[in-house]
Amino acid sequence: MIGTVYKSTGSWYTVKAGDGQFYECRIKGKFRIKGIKSTNPVAVGDQVHFELEDKGEQNVGVIHSIVDRKNYIIRKSVNLSKQTHIIAANLDQVFLLITLNNPTTYTIFIDRFLVTAEAYDIPVVLVFNKIDTYSEEEIDEIKFLAALYRDIGYTCVGISAKTGKNVDKIKEMMIGKTSMFSGHSGVGKSTLINAIEPNLEIKTAEISQQHLQGQHTTTFAEMFDLSFGARIIDTPGIKGFGIVDMEREEIGDYFPEFFNLKHTCKFNNCIHLDEPKCGVKEALEEGKVSWSRYRSYLQMISGEEENYRMDAYGEKK
Ligand code: GDP
Ligand code: ZN
């Protein structure tokens, strides 16, 4: 049988099969995925092949293989420093909630998040929340930001999770897909999820830092079916969206508008700093590339990040 992993607790996996039934499965055999040393071989969102156990127990199975992932996000394992923990696999999109103030979402945070998502190959929708609270100038600022990111190719939408404005647009984008919600604490993730599906009882509240540090706990993601044919992955206690190790030379490739101009740079290994005849810097001077994006880029390649390990949240790694 084939199914999708909805939940895992370390040794047991809850798998939903095509017949809509849930099965509690264990793993048999080794699952080594090239290039990643992970503490969990199977993650929420994985598609797995499994067989029912014939010991008389109902709805209990054994996973024997996983289908190639289209993407996955990882965090460093809480337990073993050299290992990673796969948070989730096969995401269709991430909604990044942004508020101008209360709390402030800085463009460097948005850009780091987008770079990480590009590296993971996960589409991001930028959701400007709390539009019911902004002054005219603030609305203009949001329009400016939305236009900037739309030009690059990102979908942007302004909503109010509180009044329900444009929440239907988010729902529409979610149909038939697996989504995740991200953004700083207080931007309105729980409020939005509640507006989307009022009776979903998920524990969006973050597990206290003390709890995370005090014990060697590993928190697990969980997937939920929504009533309108969508799925969300909730990651309680996991603040970050995931970490990516990248080379300094790679970072510019995850800025789509820089990547598209790369062929106009004189040197094919141009990193758009002080090189002569750099297409990105020329576009910047002409106003075709945004200064705030370029500033974020400079900050990212300046080496402040240890080994260019990216995580938009700046969580301790
Ligand atoms: P989370 O930490 O991202 O889950 O944020 P919450 O959903 O807990 O929201 C934080 C606060 O912002 C709560 O007091 C919400 O009522 C409020 N809030 C969320 N969305 C909106 C919105 O669209 N408009 C207004 N005015 N307040 C909102
Ligand atoms: Zn260049």
Side-chain angles (χ1 to χ4, degrees):
M1 295 174 86
I2 187 163
T4 307
V5 177
Y6 271 60
K7 191 181 175 178
S8 84
T9 52
S11 45
W12 287 92
Y13 298 87
T14 307
V15 178
K16 189 184 184 188
D19 59 5
Q21 278 277 355
F22 285 95
Y23 298 88
E24 292 301 316
C25 297
R26 280 176 301 180
I27 291 179
K28 198 177 165 187
K30 282 190 179 142
F31 295 84
R32 286 271 142 95
I33 294 134
K34 228 173 41 191
I36 39 173
K37 278 187 195 159
S38 81
T39 49
N40 58 330
V42 174
V44 166
D46 266 329
Q47 286 219 273
V48 295
H49 291 282
F50 68 102
E51 276 161 18
L52 293 183
E53 273 193 350
D54 45 21
K55 296 212 181 88
E57 266 188 287
Q58 276 196 327
N59 295 351
V60 174
V62 178
I63 296 170
H64 53 83
S65 66
I66 60 174
V67 178
D68 282 347
R69 296 180 173 125
K70 75 170 181 182
N71 59 38
Y72 57 86
I73 55 176
I74 57 172
R75 78 195 302 255
K76 211 165 120 177
S77 167
V78 182
N79 308 323
L80 303 151
S81 63
K82 291 250 167 67
Q83 287 206 309
T84 53
H85 180 81
I86 305 169
I87 303 171
N90 300 321
L91 288 155
D92 290 308
Q93 62 194 348
V94 174
F95 291 95
L96 177 63
L97 271 72
I98 295 162
T99 48
L100 273 195
N101 42 50
N102 194 20
T104 304
T105 307
Y106 294 100
T107 50
I108 177 70
F109 171 79
I110 299 172
D111 295 333
R112 278 213 181 94
F113 193 95
L114 292 174
V115 163
T116 313
E118 290 289 342
Y120 279 129
D121 205 13
I122 299 169
V124 180
V125 175
L126 299 182
V127 180
F128 296 90
N129 189 31
K130 307 197 186 183
I131 53 168
D132 60 298
T133 67
Y134 298 128
S135 67
E136 240 172 78
E137 289 92 65
E138 287 168 332
I139 290 287
D140 283 345
E141 204 174 321
I142 284 171
K143 282 184 180 159
F144 174 83
L145 279 177
L148 190 171
Y149 287 104
R150 232 173 245 137
D151 268 355
I152 302 167
Y154 296 107
T155 303
C156 298
V157 51
I159 70 156
S160 169
K162 197 165 192 175
T163 69
K165 170 115 177 148
N166 285 343
V167 169
D168 53 330
K169 287 192 181 168
I170 305 288
K171 284 176 83 166
E172 220 167 275
M173 283 187 259
M174 292 175 74
I175 294 172
K177 293 182 174 171
T178 301
S179 307
M180 222 176 97
F181 290 85
S182 220
H184 290 308
S185 176
V187 290
K189 296 181 292 296
S190 326
T191 309
L192 177 58
I193 290 168
N194 196 50
I196 285 168
E197 185 91 357
N199 294 317
L200 189 71
E201 295 219 353
I202 67 172
K203 311 161 281 297
T204 41
E206 276 138 30
I207 292 171
S208 80
Q209 215 43 37
Q210 202 180 5
H211 178 81
L212 272 181
Q213 285 163 359
Q215 302 170 21
H216 290 293
T217 43
T218 310
T219 48
F220 291 97
E222 185 168 355
M223 184 143 76
F224 295 89
D225 283 323
L226 304 186
S227 58
F228 54 97
R231 293 194 286 219
I232 67 166
I233 290 184
D234 182 38
T235 56
I238 302 170
K239 194 166 165 244
F241 164 63
I243 51 163
V244 186
D245 283 317
M246 56 181 88
E247 300 293 323
R248 189 174 188 235
E249 294 71 29
E250 267 180 281
I251 299 171
D253 293 348
Y254 299 124
F255 283 73
E257 74 276 39
F258 294 11
F259 183 72
N260 289 337
L261 287 166
K262 210 176 172 180
H263 68 279
T264 65
C265 297
K266 184 175 178 195
F267 299 104
N268 60 13
N269 60 350
C270 185
I271 57 165
H272 327 306
L273 288 181
D274 306 313
E275 297 94 335
K277 301 227 161 82
C278 165
V280 171
K281 292 203 77 174
E282 279 166 20
L284 185 68
E285 298 300 338
E286 290 164 13
K288 291 174 184 157
V289 156
S290 130
W291 276 97
S292 83
R293 291 278 288 171
Y294 189 70
R295 256 198 319 271
S296 293
Y297 173 69
L298 289 182
Q299 215 166 318
M300 281 181 229
I301 68 162
S302 70
E304 282 163 29
E305 258 111 327
E306 192 190 340
N307 302 323
Y308 304 100
R309 178 166 267 188
M310 295 287 173
D311 172 352
Y313 287 83
E315 238 191 1
K316 267 210 184 121
K317 309 295 159 349

